[in-house]
């Protein structure tokens, strides 16, 4: 065993490379010893990222900030000797949960709508309808599957068929709280129970708008460093 180990070590000492055509081959397997990299700091807000970058806590260096998605932003430096990038800090948004396309019991839906959406005229209209709907009557009118009406209280002691508003324009908390939440359209549906659901209806366009707003926020917050060329921001 010892003899074989010594022969292996001796073989490594004689490792050489040879070019055959356009390719380079080695006489022994070799492995890259990668340059050490620091672990990126993780924050949950854009303001936390801005404070860190302004402090120059880890020194002054040229950085690229990439808005990866409405909920994720990375700040990193250039390549090291192994062509790996040095990530300094990442920001991940802390958001309330709302499952689009899933039906909620009316009480749960009411709570999530109030806690996870920016106040607006359409939000108030949906909340008013959900809060007054009768438990025993949800019906669909028309054959296109779009229009609905429900039996709801319309006064102190009266009930009547009420049309369900569709589509509705709402502002869920879907990106960092430091920027204005993008508006988008939703299909609001009610089923027997009653249960309620929202279906996204803008094809994901809100994501591009959110990323654009994050970029603008960072450009303004880090204006001095951007103007001096220390920081470049892309989205």
């Amino acid at each position: 065993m010892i003899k074989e180990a010594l022969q292996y070590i001796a073989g490594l000492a004689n490792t050489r490379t040879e070019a055959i055509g356009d390719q380079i081959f080695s006489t022994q397997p070799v492995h890259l010893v990668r340059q050490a990299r620091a672990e990126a700091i993780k924050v949950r807000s854009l303001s936390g990222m801005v404070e860190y970058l302004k402090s120059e806590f880890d020194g002054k260096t040229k950085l690229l900030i990439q808005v990866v998605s409405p909920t994720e932003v990375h700040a990193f430096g250039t390549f090291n000797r192994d062509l790996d990038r040095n990530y300094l800090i990442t920001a991940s948004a802390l958001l309330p949960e709302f499952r689009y396309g899933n039906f909620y019991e009316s009480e749960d839906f009411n709570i999530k709508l109030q806690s996870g959406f920016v106040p607006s005229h359409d939000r108030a209209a949906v909340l008013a309808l959900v809060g007054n709907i009768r438990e025993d009557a949800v019906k669909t009118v028309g054959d296109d599957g779009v229009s609905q009406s429900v039996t709801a209280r319309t006064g102190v002691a009266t009930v009547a068929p009420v049309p369900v508003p569709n589509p509705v324009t709402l502002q869920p908390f879907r990106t960092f709280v430091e920027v204005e939440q993008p508006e988008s359209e939703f299909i609001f549906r009610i089923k027997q129970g009653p249960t309620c659901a929202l279906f996204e209806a803008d094809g994901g366009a809100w994501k591009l708008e959110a990323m654009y707003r994050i970029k603008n926020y960072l450009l303004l917050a880090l204006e001095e460093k951007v103007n001096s060329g220390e920081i470049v921001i892309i989205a």
Side-chain angles (χ1 to χ4, degrees):
M1 180 68 72
I2 296 176
K3 179 181 178 181
E4 293 172 351
L6 291 174
Q7 289 175 338
Y8 175 75
I9 294 172
L12 291 178
N14 296 323
T15 300
R16 68 183 190 278
T17 59
E18 293 183 5
I20 301 177
D22 293 331
Q23 296 178 303
I24 299 176
F25 294 85
S26 170
T27 58
Q28 296 286 345
V30 293
H31 303 280
L32 175 66
V33 179
R34 291 194 173 276
Q35 184 177 3
R37 292 185 296 166
E39 183 178 355
I41 297 171
K42 296 178 176 62
V43 295
R44 304 308 297 268
S45 66
L46 295 178
S47 56
M49 173 176 276
V50 168
E51 288 171 10
Y52 167 79
L53 295 174
K54 282 185 173 181
S55 73
E56 298 180 354
F57 181 81
D58 290 315
K60 193 172 184 178
T61 182
K62 188 169 184 177
L63 297 174
L64 179 68
I65 297 178
Q66 181 185 13
V67 182
V68 179
S69 73
T71 59
E72 190 174 0
V73 181
H74 296 166
F76 48 86
T78 187
F79 296 122
N80 62 15
R81 72 180 187 201
D82 301 324
L83 299 182
D84 291 328
R85 293 192 181 275
N86 292 303
Y87 283 78
L88 273 68
I89 185 169
T90 64
S92 300
L94 190 62
L95 301 174
E97 181 190 17
F98 190 93
R99 299 188 304 276
Y100 299 100
N102 283 34
F103 282 85
Y104 289 93
E105 294 293 333
S106 58
E107 185 65 20
D108 292 337
F109 185 83
N110 186 303
I111 293 170
K112 287 188 174 293
L113 203 60
Q114 292 192 65
S115 61
F117 290 71
V118 177
S120 67
H121 176 271
D122 278 10
R123 191 193 78 157
V126 173
L127 284 172
L129 178 60
V130 172
N132 288 293
I133 189 173
R134 277 185 53 178
E135 192 170 343
D136 59 351
V138 177
K139 63 179 181 179
T140 301
V141 296
D143 296 326
D144 57 4
V146 175
S147 301
Q148 279 190 308
S149 70
V150 296
T151 302
R153 286 191 297 270
T154 57
V156 176
T158 60
V159 295
V162 176
V164 176
N166 261 315
V168 289
T169 302
L170 300 170
Q171 289 177 276
F173 289 104
R174 294 180 288 184
T175 187
F176 294 92
V177 295
E178 290 92 342
V179 302
E180 184 181 359
Q181 303 299 310
E183 285 186 345
S184 56
E185 289 190 341
F186 295 87
I187 304 302
F188 174 45
R189 301 294 291 175
I190 302 175
K191 292 198 304 185
Q192 198 75 20
T195 59
C196 310
L198 289 174
F199 296 82
E200 295 181 274
D202 74 341
W206 72 269
K207 296 178 182 179
L208 296 177
E209 180 63 25
M211 293 168 67
Y212 174 78
R213 293 180 183 185
I214 292 170
K215 179 180 178 180
N216 281 348
Y217 172 88
L218 293 172
L219 284 171
L220 184 61
L222 298 167
E223 183 176 9
E224 186 175 339
K225 288 184 173 293
V226 171
N227 291 339
S228 67
E230 293 177 49
I231 289 179
V232 176
I233 302 174
I234 62 173

